[in-house]
Amino acid sequence: MNKMASIEIMRGVKSVRDIELTNKRILIRVDFNVPLDEDFNISDDTRIREALPTINYCIDNGARSIVLISHLGRPKGRMNEFSLKHILKRVERLLGKDVVFADSIESAKTLQESLSTNNMVILCENIRYYEGEEANDKELSAKLGALCDVYVNDAFGTSHRAHASTYGIAAFVKEKVAGILLKKEIDSFTKALANPPKPVLLIVGGSKVSSKLGLLYNILDSIDKIIIGGAMSNTFLKAIGFDMQKSLVEDNLVLEARKILDTAKHKGVKVYLPVDVVSTDDIKKHEHIKITPAQDIPVNYMAVDMGPATTRLFSEVVRDSQTIIWNGPLGIYEIGEFSRGTFSLAHAVSDTYAFSLIGGGGTTDAIDKTGERGNMSFISTGGGASLELLEGKILPAFEVLDKKQS
C-alpha cells in the first residue's frame, strides 16, 4: 500500500466532532508526556496545551465525565518521579477548572459512579504503571473500556504503538473516534504529501541513517529535493568517497546510502550534502574546532555541524521551496559551538512562505531554542509517529477507530 492510500485511510476515521457526547462517559487518551526537572517543574507544557481543544469540546458538549489517560516517561513500577500528580495543577490551570486525580483505574471508576454533576474531569495515574499497557493486555484494555461510553484518541505521539490505551481498549468500547489534535496531525501530513505546492523539499538529519531508511525510500516519489545533514550525512559523504576520519559513520550502511543516492538521481530528486563541515577532536572539551571542506576533515577529527558555505547553500535551497518537511537536527545543536547550522536553517525555514511541517523531538527542541516555533506552519507532537507516517505506514491507533461512511 502506498503512503497516500495509507493517509487517506487514516483521514477517514471519525472525529469527536462527528458524534453525540451529551451525558456520555468519555475517556480521552492524551499525551501528557511532558519534560519535568528534578523539582517536578514542567519545562514545556506544549503537549498539555495541544490536548485542550478536545477536552474543552467534550466539556462544552455535555459529557457526563471525562477521564484523561496518559503515560509519563518509562517507569519501572510505581516510581514517584513519573507520577502524573506532578502535572495536575498545570492541567487545572490550563483548563480553568478543577480536575480530580485518581491513583488507579479502580478509583477512577469509583469517582465516576459517585458523580452528582456532569463535566467532572478525572486525571488518572500514569498508565505505564500497569505492566499490561505496553503488552496490550486484554484485561487492562477491558478495565479501561469499562470507564467510558466513548473512547477518544488524541495522543498522536503514541499512535504508532499498539498499547492497551491506544489500541486494545477499542475492542471494549462502542464508539471510538479521533480527537481534534489527532485529526489536525493527519490533515497536516496530508497537506504536505498529497498534491502539495512544489517544489517539495525534505530536510532530514539526526544521528543514524538506519532510523530513516524507510522514510528515505518511501518519500522519494513525493519530493523534488532533499537536504541530508547531521551525523547521518557522514555515511552519505563516505559513500561518495570522502574520508570522514573519526566522524560517526554507519559503515554497514555505506552501500545502502550509495543506493539511495542512485535511486534519488534516477527519480530526478536533487540531493544536497554538506560541502564544508565544522569538526573537532573532542566533543566534550571541544577546545580545537576547525572548518574545512567536507572531503578534508583533519586527521582524528569528527564532523559535528555543517560549515558556513553549506549553511548558505542549504538556506538557498530552502528559499526556493514551497513545501518543506523537516525531520532531524543537522548537527549537535545542544552544544552552542555546534548549533549554528541547525539554528540558521530554522531561521531560513521561518522566513519562507512555504508550508513547513516539522516532525521529531530533536527538531522541535532545536526550533524552540531559536524562538521560531510560531513561524512554522505545523509542528507535529509525535517523533516516532511522524516518522512512521512519512514511511507510509498506517499507525495502529488509527486502525481501531470508527470510520466515516463513504
Side-chain angles (χ1 to χ4, degrees), residues 91-364:
V91 175
E92 288 185 319
R93 194 170 81 212
L94 293 174
L95 266 181
K97 69 173 290 165
D98 292 337
V99 175
V100 183
F101 185 73
D103 62 6
S104 68
I105 294 172
E106 291 75 18
S107 59
K109 182 73 171 173
T110 301
L111 284 166
Q112 276 186 330
E113 292 170 349
S114 66
L115 272 178
S116 57
T117 59
N118 277 10
N119 278 341
M120 175 186 277
V121 179
I122 302 168
L123 175 64
C124 207
E125 183 58 283
N126 193 337
I127 190 62
R128 286 192 182 168
Y129 280 0
Y130 295 86
E131 289 185 9
E133 162 65 356
E134 294 181 86
N136 191 26
D137 178 72
K138 187 175 181 180
E139 184 178 345
L140 178 60
S141 298
K143 285 183 178 180
L144 291 170
L147 290 174
C148 62
D149 306 305
V150 176
Y151 167 67
V152 181
N153 191 328
D154 210 30
F156 181 75
T158 60
S159 61
H160 60 312
R161 305 296 187 201
H163 292 172
S165 67
T166 61
Y167 190 88
I169 182 178
F172 301 93
V173 185
K174 185 176 181 181
E175 293 184 286
K176 298 88 66 176
V177 297
I180 293 168
L181 173 62
L182 206 67
K183 291 291 286 185
K184 186 167 72 168
E185 289 271 5
I186 199 69
D187 287 344
S188 295
F189 278 92
T190 302
K191 185 173 181 179
L193 295 170
N195 300 315
K198 289 181 171 288
V200 179
L201 166 67
L202 170 69
I203 304 171
V204 63
S207 59
K208 294 183 177 181
V209 177
S210 53
S211 65
K212 305 285 171 71
L213 274 177
L215 162 63
L216 291 170
Y217 277 121
N218 185 68
I219 207 168
L220 287 176
D221 287 325
S222 302
I223 61 174
D224 304 294
K225 302 178 285 186
I226 178 171
I227 286 174
I228 302 176
M232 66 180 294
S233 67
N234 299 334
T235 302
F236 284 87
L237 290 170
K238 186 167 184 176
I240 61 175
F242 291 4
D243 185 347
M244 299 309 294
Q245 295 296 332
K246 296 294 183 181
S247 303
L248 177 63
V249 172
E250 291 179 279
D251 288 309
N252 62 318
L253 290 177
V254 169
L255 292 178
E256 199 72 47
R258 181 71 257 180
K259 183 179 176 183
I260 290 170
L261 293 174
D262 291 341
T263 303
K265 184 177 180 180
H266 175 73
K267 292 178 179 290
V269 177
K270 177 69 175 175
V271 178
Y272 296 88
L273 294 167
V275 295
D276 64 341
V277 297
V278 177
S279 62
T280 182
D281 59 349
D282 191 321
I283 292 178
K284 292 183 178 179
K285 293 181 180 178
H286 46 83
E287 294 174 354
H288 307 112
I289 298 174
K290 295 185 178 181
I291 299 173
T292 64
Q295 65 268 40
D296 293 327
I297 298 173
V299 176
N300 291 326
Y301 273 59
M302 64 196 80
V304 288
D305 192 14
M306 58 191 185
T310 301
T311 300
R312 286 193 294 273
L313 170 64
F314 286 3
S315 295
E316 289 176 9
V317 176
V318 165
R319 281 194 291 271
D320 291 336
S321 303
Q322 293 298 313
T323 300
I324 301 168
I325 304 166
W326 185 358
N327 188 291
L330 304 179
I332 308 177
Y333 73 92
E334 300 93 338
I335 298 174
E337 290 88 343
F338 312 141
S339 65
R340 188 169 296 177
T342 300
F343 289 178
S344 295
L345 212 63
H347 292 308
V349 172
S350 77
D351 286 341
T352 71
Y353 290 100
F355 175 78
S356 51
L357 174 64
I358 313 300
T363 323
T364 303

Side-chain angles (χ1 to χ4, degrees), residues 7-19 176-180 182-184 186-187 398-406:
I7 285 180
E8 286 304 320
I9 287 173
M10 287 183 278
R11 281 191 78 197
V13 301
K14 278 188 178 180
S15 161
V16 66
R17 289 177 167 141
D18 296 326
I19 62 171
K176 298 88 66 176
V177 297
I180 293 168
L182 206 67
K183 291 291 286 185
K184 186 167 72 168
I186 199 69
D187 287 344
F398 286 85
E399 290 179 356
V400 295
L401 299 180
D402 295 334
K403 309 299 187 293
K404 293 178 182 178
Q405 296 297 318
S406 55

